[in-house]
Amino acid sequence: MFKRPIVLLALFASLMASALAQQAQTDLQRVKLSAGMYQIDAQVAQTPEQRQIGLMFRKEMPQTEGMIFVFEQPATQCFWMRNTLLPLTAAFVADDGRIVNLADMKPQTDESHCSEEPVRFVLEMNQGWFARKNIKKGAKLGGELFANRR
C-alpha cells in the first residue's frame, strides 16, 4: 500500500539531488587577492565537495573574479573541465604566492592540466585574464592566503 508513494518520494529526492548538484556554487567565502596592481575577488573552494564542484555549470563570471582552490598539503594538482562551461586559465600557485605555471583549459573536456611542482593553491580566472595583464609564470600573487607562508 505504501510502496508506490515511497518509490515516488525516492525518485523525487533523487531528481532534486541531481538538480542541486548541477547548480553553480556562487555562495562561497571570498578573499581579496592581488596580481601586481590588479585586484581579484576570489571565491574560496576549500572543502573536498567545494573543490570538486569548482566553477562547474557557471555560465558567466565577471572579469575581476575567480576561484581559488585551497588544498591541505602541497601536491601535484591536476584539473580538468568536465561540466565547466567557461574557458578558464588555471594558475598553479606555491605557498609564497609564486605562480608555478599557467594552463589554458577548454570547456567541457577531460584533458588534465597539472602543476609543474607541488602546490596548495590553484587560481582559476577567465581564460586570457593573465595574458591580458601580462602576468606570467614566476609572478607573485598577494593576499592574506599567502601572507603567513613567505
Side-chain angles (χ1 to χ4, degrees):
M1 172 156 107
F2 292 108
K3 192 172 190 178
R4 185 175 178 147
I6 291 173
V7 169
L8 289 175
L9 184 60
L11 179 61
F12 178 74
S14 174
L15 290 172
M16 289 303 295
S18 176
L20 289 174
Q22 292 187 7
Q23 290 183 1
Q25 61 183 354
T26 56
D27 59 347
L28 298 179
Q29 171 189 344
R30 293 179 177 268
V31 65
K32 298 290 184 193
L33 303 175
S34 62
M37 64 182 190
Y38 304 102
Q39 298 297 307
I40 301 165
D41 180 22
Q43 292 182 310
V44 181
Q46 55 192 356
T47 68
E49 182 180 45
Q50 291 169 345
R51 292 190 302 255
Q52 182 180 0
I53 296 170
L55 289 168
M56 287 181 176
F57 311 112
R58 292 277 298 261
K59 293 181 179 153
E60 59 185 11
M61 183 169 65
Q63 287 300 308
T64 58
E65 289 187 16
M67 182 174 284
I68 190 151
F69 297 78
V70 180
F71 295 88
E72 291 77 21
Q73 297 294 325
T76 299
Q77 305 297 345
C78 294
F79 278 56
W80 52 326
M81 298 283 286
R82 182 180 294 167
N83 298 321
T84 305
L85 309 175
L86 303 171
L88 301 171
T89 300
F92 297 93
V93 184
D95 278 0
D96 65 355
R98 175 181 51 88
I99 296 176
V100 170
N101 61 296
L102 296 162
D104 285 340
M105 304 184 297
K106 293 179 184 174
Q108 300 187 36
T109 63
D110 288 346
E111 182 181 352
S112 191
H113 305 274
C114 300
S115 60
E116 293 175 356
E117 64 184 67
V119 298
R120 283 191 340 113
F121 304 101
V122 180
L123 174 62
E124 289 183 340
M125 298 291 289
N126 284 304
Q127 194 169 102
W129 187 88
F130 293 100
R132 286 191 299 279
K133 309 294 189 216
N134 201 29
I135 298 167
K136 300 177 180 174
K137 175 180 178 173
K140 288 261 186 131
L141 299 180
E144 215 173 283
L145 284 175
F146 313 114
N148 298 326
R149 295 177 170 87
R150 294 192 189 271

